C-alpha cells in the first residue's frame, strides 16, 4: 500500500521511451505492411510499367576549328566551357530532334521528352541520352542525332565544331524500371507510413493497454487483472471440460 | 440495452459457480493481494473507484466482496454511488431503504442492511438525493464507519468515478485504501492521471490498480501445468 505519490509528474519524461516501446510492440505489423508495399511496388513495376532502353553518345565541342580539332590554349578551353551549354541546347533543339525523328520514321511529339543532355563539369563534353520504350528506336535516334547535331552546331555558332567521343551503342538491357529499387522504395514507404500511423494512433488514443503499461507509467502495483468474462466463456466452450472450474483430473 | 436486460447482465457478472474459471481465479488473486496489502488485525475498509463510469468498478467491488465471503470473512458491501447506484440491481434487492435514506434520517441502519444468499451484507445506495456530496460529508458517516468496523472483517465501498464527482475522495479519511479499476483499451491515461491527482489531493492511500478486460493470460495456463 502506498500514498498517492504515483509517477504522475514523470509521465512526460517517459514519452520517448514509450514511443520506442509502441514502435517495438507494433514492429511485426509495420514490417508486414512494409513487405506488402514492397511487393506491391515490385509487381507494379513488373506488370504495369513499360521498360525503357537507353542509348547515348558523348561529344567534344569546340569553339575553334583547327587541324587537330583540339583547343590549343587555355583561353580557347575556357571559351569552349562557356559555350558548352549553348551546344547542349542546340543538340537537343526542336529542329535537330524533328529531323532525327523524321529520319527514324517517328514524330517529334513522340520523342521530345525522350532526349536529354548533360554537360561535364570539367571539360567541354556533352552527353546526349535517348531513352524510349523501343530498344532499336533508342539506338537509331541516338545515331541520327549524332549525325545531325555537329552540322547544326557548326551552322549556329560560327567557328565551332563537334566531335563524337563515344558513339551510340545498342542498349544492353533495360534502363528502367529497376524492380529491386522500386521494391525497396515500396518497402521503405510502407515502413514509414505504417510506423507513423500506428505510433500516432497509439499516442492519440492513449488508452490503458494492460498491467505492464500501468505499472510502468505510474509505479503503482497492479494487484489484479480480471479477464473479459465473455472471452473467458468462449475459451471455456472452445476447450470443453478442461477449462471448467474444479474439474481437474 | 433495456433496463431489464442491463439488470440481467449485471447479475450475470457476479461471481458464481457458472462464472468462467479464469475469472473466478482472477478474483481470488485480487482477494489475496488486497488482504496482503492490508496487513494487521481489525476491519479493513476498501474503496473501489475508477476514473470514469463504465470501467467496471461496481462489478469489481461486488465480486471482491463475494470472493472475501467465500473464505468466511464477514463482508459488508456499501454502495456509495448515490448518483448511479447499481449494487441493488446486481443483488436483486430494493434500492431503498439505503445509505441516503439513513443519512437523511428517514431510515434506521438496520433496515438498510440486506443479507444476501452469498453471505455478504449489502447496504444499497438508497433513494437518489439531490446532493449526494453533502450527504457524504455529514457527521453520521464517521459514526457509520466506526460501527461497521466493529462488526465486519471487510467493508467494500463502491464509490462513484473519481473524475466525475468528488464523493470518492471525500471518504478517504474513513478508508484504509483505494482499489483503482481501469479497463483495458478503454480507460484513457489522461483520466487515470486526473484520478491520481485528485486522490493525491485527498491524501488517499492506494492499494493498487485492477485492470479489466483482455484475455486471461498466462496465469491460468501456468496453474494448469503445475497440476498436470
Amino acid at each position: 500500500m502506498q500514498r498517492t505519490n504515483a509517477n504522475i509528474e514523470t509521465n512526460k519524461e517517459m514519452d520517448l521511451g514509450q514511443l520506442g516501446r509502441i514502435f517495438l510492440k507494433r514492429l511485426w505489423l509495420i514490417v508486414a505492411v512494409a513487405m506488402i508495399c514492397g511487393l506491391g511496388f515490385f509487381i507494379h513495376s513488373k506488370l504495369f510499367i513499360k521498360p525503357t532502353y537507353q542509348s547515348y553518345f558523348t561529344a567534344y565541342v569546340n569553339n575553334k576549328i583547327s587541324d587537330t580539332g583540339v583547343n590549343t590554349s587555355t583561353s580557347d578551353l575556357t571559351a569552349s566551357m562557356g559555350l558548352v551549354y549553348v551546344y547542349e541546347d542546340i543538340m537537343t533543339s526542336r529542329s535537330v530532334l524533328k529531323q532525327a525523328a523524321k529520319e527514324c520514321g517517328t514524330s517529334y511529339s513522340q520523342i521530345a521528352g525522350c532526349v536529354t543532355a548533360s554537360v561535364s563539369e570539367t571539360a567541354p563534353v556533352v552527353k546526349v541520352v535517348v531513352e524510349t520504350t523501343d530498344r532499336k528506336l533508342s539506338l537509331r535516334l541516338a545515331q541520327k542525332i549524332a549525325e545531325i547535331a555537329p552540322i547544326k552546331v557548326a551552322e549556329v555558332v560560327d567557328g565551332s565544331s563537334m566531335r563524337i567521343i563515344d558513339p551510340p551503342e545498342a542498349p544492353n538491357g533495360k534502363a528502367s524500371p529497376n524492380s529491386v529499387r522500386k521494391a525497396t522504395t515500396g518497402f521503405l514507404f510502407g515502413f514509414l507510413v505504417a510506423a507513423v500511423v500506428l505510433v500516432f494512433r497509439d499516442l492519440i488514443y492513449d488508452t490503458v493497454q494492460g498491467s505492464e503499461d500501468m505499472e510502468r507509467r505510474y509505479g503503482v502495483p497492479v494487484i489484479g487483472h480480471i479477464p473479459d468474462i465473455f472471452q473467458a466463456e468462449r475459451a471455456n466452450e472452445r476447450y470443453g471440460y478442461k477449462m471448467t472450474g474444479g474439474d481437474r483430473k | 440495452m433495456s433496463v431489464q436486460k442491463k439488470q440481467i447482465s449485471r447479475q450475470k457478472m457476479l461471481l458464481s459457480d457458472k462464472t468462467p474459471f479464469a475469472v473466478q481465479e482472477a478474483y481470488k488473486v485480487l482477494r489475496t493481494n488486497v488482504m496482503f496489502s492490508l496487513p494487521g488485525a481489525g476491519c479493513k475498509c476498501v474503496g473501489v473507484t475508477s476514473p470514469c463510469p463504465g470501467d467496471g468498478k461496481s462489478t469489481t467491488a461486488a465480486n471482491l466482496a463475494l470472493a472475501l465471503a467465500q473464505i468466511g470473512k464477514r463482508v459488508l458491501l456499501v454502495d456509495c454511488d448515490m448518483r448511479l447506484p447499481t449494487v441493488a440491481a446486481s443483488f436483486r434487492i430494493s434500492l431503498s431503504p439505503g445509505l441516503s435514506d439513513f443519512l437523511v434520517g428517514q431510515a434506521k441502519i438496520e433496515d438498510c442492511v440486506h443479507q444476501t444468499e452469498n453471505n455478504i451484507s449489502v447496504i444499497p445506495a438508497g433513494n437518489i438525493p439531490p446532493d449526494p456530496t453533502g450527504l457524504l460529508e455529514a457527521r453520521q458517516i464517521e459514526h457509520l464507519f466506526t460501527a461497521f468496523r466493529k462488526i465486519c472483517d471487510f467493508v467494500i465501498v463502491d464509490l462513484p468515478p473519481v473524475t466525475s464527482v468528488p464523493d470518492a475522495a471525500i471518504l478517504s479519511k474513513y478508508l484504509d485504501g483505494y482499489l483503482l479499476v481501469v479497463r483495458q483499451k478503454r480507460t484513457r491515461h489522461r483520466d487515470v492521471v486526473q484520478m491520481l491527482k485528485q486522490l493525491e489531493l485527498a491524501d488517499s492511500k492506494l492499494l493498487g490498480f485492477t485492470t479489466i478486460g483482455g484475455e486471461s493470460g498466462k496465469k491460468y495456463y501456468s496453474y494448469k501445468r503445475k497440476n498436470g
Side-chain angles (χ1 to χ4, degrees), chain B residues 68-85:
Chain B
L68 286 163
Q70 283 174 356
I71 55 171
K73 299 294 181 184
R74 294 171 299 170
V75 183
L76 174 65
L77 175 64
V78 183
D79 190 353
C80 282
D81 188 352
M82 287 185 259
R83 288 178 174 79
L84 204 64

Side-chain angles (χ1 to χ4, degrees), chain A residues 181-192:
Chain A
R181 196 189 306 170
K182 290 276 184 192
T184 307
T185 305
F187 181 90
L188 292 173
F189 174 77
F191 191 93
L192 190 65

Side-chain angles (χ1 to χ4, degrees), chain A residues 160-232:
Chain A
S160 66
S161 65
M162 183 178 129
R163 288 180 185 260
I164 303 297
I165 303 172
D166 292 319
E169 288 183 350
N172 286 334
K174 61 182 168 100
S176 74
N178 185 330
S179 300
V180 172
R181 196 189 306 170
K182 290 276 184 192
T184 307
T185 305
F187 181 90
L188 292 173
F189 174 77
F191 191 93
L192 190 65
V193 169
V196 168
V197 167
L198 287 171
V199 167
F200 271 99
R201 179 179 163 274
D202 271 11
L203 288 177
I204 288 168
Y205 283 110
D206 194 31
T207 54
V208 170
Q209 296 302 310
S211 306
E212 287 174 10
D213 181 36
M214 295 301 292
E215 284 186 346
R216 190 178 51 242
R217 274 184 181 247
Y218 306 107
V220 175
V222 175
I223 61 173
H225 170 69
I226 314 299
D228 183 86
I229 191 168
F230 300 108
Q231 280 190 6

Side-chain angles (χ1 to χ4, degrees), chain A residues 211-212 225-227 231 243 248, chain B residues 21-22 25-26 29 184 213-227:
Chain A
S211 306
E212 287 174 10
H225 170 69
I226 314 299
Q231 280 190 6
M243 296 289 284
R248 328 207 70 73
Chain B
F21 183 77
E25 288 297 297
V29 169
Q184 272 183 227
E215 293 183 355
S216 55
K218 301 172 190 172
K219 285 181 186 173
Y220 170 69
Y221 290 103
S222 65
Y223 176 81
K224 272 282 286 178
R225 282 196 293 272
K226 282 179 191 171
N227 290 275

Side-chain angles (χ1 to χ4, degrees), chain A residues 73-87:
Chain A
S73 67
T74 309
S75 59
D76 290 335
L77 189 62
T78 306
S80 295
M81 283 301 295
L83 284 171
V84 71
Y85 292 98
V86 176
Y87 300 138

Side-chain angles (χ1 to χ4, degrees), chain A:
Chain A
M1 180 172 63
Q2 59 191 68
R3 295 276 168 179
T4 356
N5 54 353
N7 293 340
I8 306 171
E9 299 306 323
T10 59
N11 236 353
K12 290 178 185 169
E13 294 171 9
M14 292 166 67
D15 282 349
L16 277 176
Q18 181 193 357
L19 204 69
R21 273 187 290 274
I22 293 169
F23 181 79
L24 286 173
K25 196 173 100 173
R26 305 282 190 197
L27 188 61
W28 67 270
L29 185 59
I30 293 170
V31 170
V33 169
M35 289 182 74
I36 291 170
C37 265
L39 186 65
F41 273 54
F42 181 82
I43 291 171
H44 179 263
S45 71
K46 282 285 188 188
L47 297 181
F48 298 104
I49 300 179
K50 256 187 163 181
T52 58
Y53 304 91
Q54 267 187 9
S55 183
Y56 71 92
F57 68 89
T58 54
Y60 174 79
V61 290
N62 195 351
N63 72 321
K64 185 174 179 179
I65 299 172
S66 69
D67 291 336
T68 61
V70 176
N71 285 323
T72 56
S73 67
T74 309
S75 59
D76 290 335
L77 189 62
T78 306
S80 295
M81 283 301 295
L83 284 171
V84 71
Y85 292 98
V86 176
Y87 300 138
E88 179 195 7
D89 289 341
I90 294 171
M91 288 158 75
T92 56
S93 65
R94 189 175 61 213
S95 53
V96 169
L97 295 184
K98 254 188 174 175
Q99 189 177 346
K102 188 178 172 184
E103 292 184 25
C104 288
T106 183
S107 66
Y108 169 74
S109 57
Q110 285 188 333
I111 58 110
C114 302
V115 182
T116 54
S118 58
V119 173
S120 167
E121 291 178 8
T122 54
V125 173
V126 178
K127 179 179 180 180
V128 175
V129 178
V130 177
E131 184 171 337
T132 69
T133 55
D134 186 328
R135 187 194 296 258
K136 288 180 183 171
L137 178 62
S138 293
L139 174 62
R140 280 204 324 267
L141 204 54
Q143 287 168 338
K144 285 296 171 189
I145 294 173
E147 286 172 16
I148 298 165
I151 302 168
K152 193 70 180 178
V153 161
E155 277 177 14
V156 173
V157 182
D158 290 333
S160 66
S161 65
M162 183 178 129
R163 288 180 185 260
I164 303 297
I165 303 172
D166 292 319
E169 288 183 350
N172 286 334
K174 61 182 168 100
S176 74
N178 185 330
S179 300
V180 172
R181 196 189 306 170
K182 290 276 184 192
T184 307
T185 305
F187 181 90
L188 292 173
F189 174 77
F191 191 93
L192 190 65
V193 169
V196 168
V197 167
L198 287 171
V199 167
F200 271 99
R201 179 179 163 274
D202 271 11
L203 288 177
I204 288 168
Y205 283 110
D206 194 31
T207 54
V208 170
Q209 296 302 310
S211 306
E212 287 174 10
D213 181 36
M214 295 301 292
E215 284 186 346
R216 190 178 51 242
R217 274 184 181 247
Y218 306 107
V220 175
V222 175
I223 61 173
H225 170 69
I226 314 299
D228 183 86
I229 191 168
F230 300 108
Q231 280 190 6
E233 272 182 348
R234 281 198 294 274
N236 268 5
E237 288 164 10
R238 194 161 58 236
Y239 290 104
Y241 79 95
K242 288 180 186 175
M243 296 289 284
T244 307
D247 205 15
R248 328 207 70 73
K249 292 184 182 174

Side-chain angles (χ1 to χ4, degrees), chain B residues 108-154:
Chain B
K108 294 178 183 175
I109 192 60
E110 297 83 15
D111 298 331
C112 301
V113 180
H114 297 255
Q115 198 67 30
T116 68
E117 58 190 14
N118 315 95
N119 288 329
I120 66 170
S121 304
V122 178
I123 296 180
N127 287 310
I128 298 175
D131 181 22
T133 306
L135 277 186
L136 291 175
E137 288 172 330
R139 194 174 285 182
Q140 293 101 307
I141 284 283
E142 186 179 358
H143 299 314
L144 201 59
F145 275 88
T146 306
F148 290 160
R149 287 181 184 273
K150 289 178 183 171
I151 58 171
C152 302
D153 296 320
F154 281 91

